[in-house]
Amino acid sequence: MTKEIFLFTSESVSEGHPDKVADRISDAVVDRYLSADPHSRVAAETMVTTNRIILAGEVRGPDTVTPDMLEEAARAAVRDIGYEQEGFHWENADFSCYIHSQSTDIAMGVDAAGNKDEGAGDQGIMFGYACRETPELMPAPIQFSHQILRSLAEARHSGAASELEPDAKSQVTLEYQDGRPVRATSVVVSTQHKADVNQDELRNLVRGHVMNALPEGWMCPEEEFYVNPTGQFIIGGPDGDAGLTGRKIIVDTYGGAAPHGGGAFSGKDPTKVDRSAAYAARYLAKNVIAAGLAERCTIQLAYAIGVSKPLSLYVNMHDTAEVEEARVVKILGEMMDLSPRGIREHFGLSRPIYERTAAYGHFGRTPDADGGFSWEKTDLADALRSAF
């Protein structure tokens, strides 16, 4: 563990950020298909721009899911986020759908047949990470960045901060000493607002949400607290900048504190290991930390398209291990079936639980009663503890 003092920064974006609007719509498509048939295959992409929503991608699912139903799901997602602006409105935005059938070549590799188990939907590498910096076992900078924006969004939705609009970004820089965060050195929040808002009043409003998100005494100096540094933020959302599915993968995961394999999550059904295996890697890493086996843990999984077994399982405890890493690799591989089918069944992923994941991170969340965020459970911790 390094002993030096250093600064580390992570950012988050709100549900109203253009890329997150696109992620939300793509995941709404996934949920709509899985609601109709839990074995549906979906790879949905969305683009949003000034009063326009464009869907594309490949699916294999029931014909009962029609383009009209997908349009309804997209508009409902935008309405729930809160866009009723002249430049982007849930009700009158132009909608186009270019979703078509999944490639038979891909389907052949993924489908179970005869003695062949269900294969991975693509090749790739996936990472999971956990650490002791927060109660959620997440890196502190990204977790605090998420909390600031979720708090602002809740105030906007409730009417307590009616001057706010949906688009927002946050960025938190923390000072680390002896490998642990000790205080914020700077905080940046840019939030879209109505035209008649006073910037000084907005700054005071945002300050309260930032202070509530940070531990007591961690607030940065006033001169390092930046709210709408450009002076105003009236034009935002897809009207201010086009949004695309899958462009916020670091926001979705660990804020840069851990590696990322490159694959996005949103718009993909659970046969796509970009999504499901990244969830499994986080689950295993989190349980390693919850079991007290290390202070930090990174896990990598690798897959080949059409092949059920992972090609590799790698564990790195960053010189904080209380046990032998090689033995951790062996035990984790025995405790959980890391084939695509095994992951999907372990977490119950063939359910419509994905739209809620599209903003404020896929990790560091509370598991829901209906199976949402099931990969955040720590139900392997006791068994791991016993194994050592």
Side-chain angles (χ1 to χ4, degrees):
M1 178 68 72
T2 179
K3 299 297 184 182
E4 64 181 336
I5 297 174
F6 63 90
L7 304 181
F8 191 84
T9 304
S10 295
E11 69 157 347
S12 180
V13 297
S14 74
E15 65 202 64
H17 185 281
D19 294 332
K20 284 288 136 197
V21 175
D23 283 346
R24 173 79 175 264
I25 293 171
S26 292
D27 276 335
V29 171
V30 173
D31 282 355
R32 188 58 63 100
Y33 271 98
L34 292 178
S35 294
D37 179 357
H39 300 293
S40 294
R41 304 281 168 76
V42 185
E45 307 290 346
T46 304
M47 175 182 176
V48 290
T49 185
T50 300
N51 232 25
R52 186 176 296 273
I53 302 167
I54 302 168
L55 271 183
E58 303 79 44
V59 300
R60 191 179 73 184
D63 293 336
T64 53
V65 181
T66 64
D68 285 346
M69 292 175 66
L70 299 182
E71 179 177 357
E72 179 187 10
R75 293 190 187 279
V78 175
R79 180 179 64 235
D80 188 66
I81 291 169
Y83 275 112
E84 296 184 341
Q85 301 172 2
E86 182 179 352
F88 194 69
H89 197 296
W90 67 268
E91 192 170 26
N92 58 32
D94 182 77
F95 178 84
S96 302
C97 183
Y98 299 100
I99 286 180
H100 58 83
S101 297
Q102 182 188 51
S103 160
T104 55
D105 289 348
I106 293 176
M108 180 173 59
V110 176
D111 290 346
N115 293 325
K116 175 185 173 297
D117 195 6
E118 179 181 299
D122 201 353
Q123 71 174 46
I125 57 174
M126 299 85 205
F127 287 92
Y129 181 75
C131 62
R132 293 198 176 281
E133 293 180 14
T134 63
E136 299 83 4
L137 304 185
M138 284 286 288
I142 186 67
Q143 195 68 10
F144 296 153
S145 295
H146 288 325
Q147 288 172 7
I148 291 167
L149 293 184
R150 290 189 76 179
S151 181
L152 287 168
E154 288 166 3
R156 175 175 60 84
H157 284 296
S158 71
S162 58
E163 60 267 55
L164 300 180
E165 295 284 11
D167 197 357
K169 303 178 79 171
S170 64
Q171 184 170 285
V172 174
T173 301
L174 298 183
E175 178 182 312
Y176 282 70
Q177 296 180 10
D178 296 335
R180 295 181 178 274
V182 296
R183 68 184 183 96
T185 60
S186 66
V187 176
V188 185
V189 178
S190 295
T191 179
Q192 188 185 16
H193 57 83
K194 291 183 169 59
D196 58 352
V197 169
N198 178 284
Q199 292 296 318
D200 289 335
E201 293 175 359
L202 184 66
R203 180 183 179 89
N204 289 331
L205 183 154
V206 171
R207 182 188 288 104
H209 291 273
V210 171
M211 293 183 72
N212 286 337
L214 295 174
E216 186 176 357
W218 279 38
M219 185 63 182
C220 65
E222 188 66 19
E223 63 272 17
E224 294 295 329
F225 177 47
Y226 305 95
V227 177
N228 289 357
T230 63
Q232 67 177 28
F233 186 3
I234 298 171
I235 302 171
D239 187 30
D241 189 13
L244 295 170
T245 300
R247 286 207 297 194
K248 287 293 177 286
I249 58 176
I250 301 303
V251 170
D252 285 342
T253 54
Y254 308 105
H260 192 294
F265 300 158
S266 290
K268 298 176 181 177
D269 74 83
T271 68
K272 277 71 170 177
V273 284
D274 274 343
R275 180 169 220 159
S276 56
Y279 291 171
R282 159 65 178 173
Y283 171 73
L284 294 179
K286 186 175 183 181
N287 276 272
V288 165
I289 301 304
L293 305 186
E295 292 289 313
R296 299 167 58 206
C297 181
T298 298
I299 288 180
Q300 185 204 57
L301 295 167
Y303 293 84
I305 187 168
V307 179
S308 61
K309 67 179 180 66
L311 306 184
S312 65
L313 167 59
Y314 164 80
V315 177
N316 183 354
M317 297 184 178
H318 306 279
D319 299 322
T320 69
E322 300 290 335
V323 295
E324 185 183 352
E325 286 182 352
R327 193 161 172 231
V328 175
V329 172
K330 181 177 184 295
I331 290 174
L332 290 179
E334 294 170 350
M335 281 188 168
M336 183 175 177
D337 178 358
L338 292 170
S339 69
R341 181 199 297 274
I343 294 171
R344 182 166 50 81
E345 293 178 351
H346 187 97
F347 297 129
L349 295 181
S350 298
R351 292 179 280 188
I353 55 173
Y354 297 103
E355 189 174 349
R356 71 193 76 170
T357 69
Y360 312 118
H362 293 244
F363 308 129
R365 308 287 288 272
T366 302
D368 295 324
D370 66 352
F373 301 104
S374 54
W375 50 91
E376 286 296 302
K377 293 180 178 179
T378 54
D379 51 0
L380 283 187
D382 288 342
L384 276 169
R385 222 176 278 119
S386 297
F388 288 93

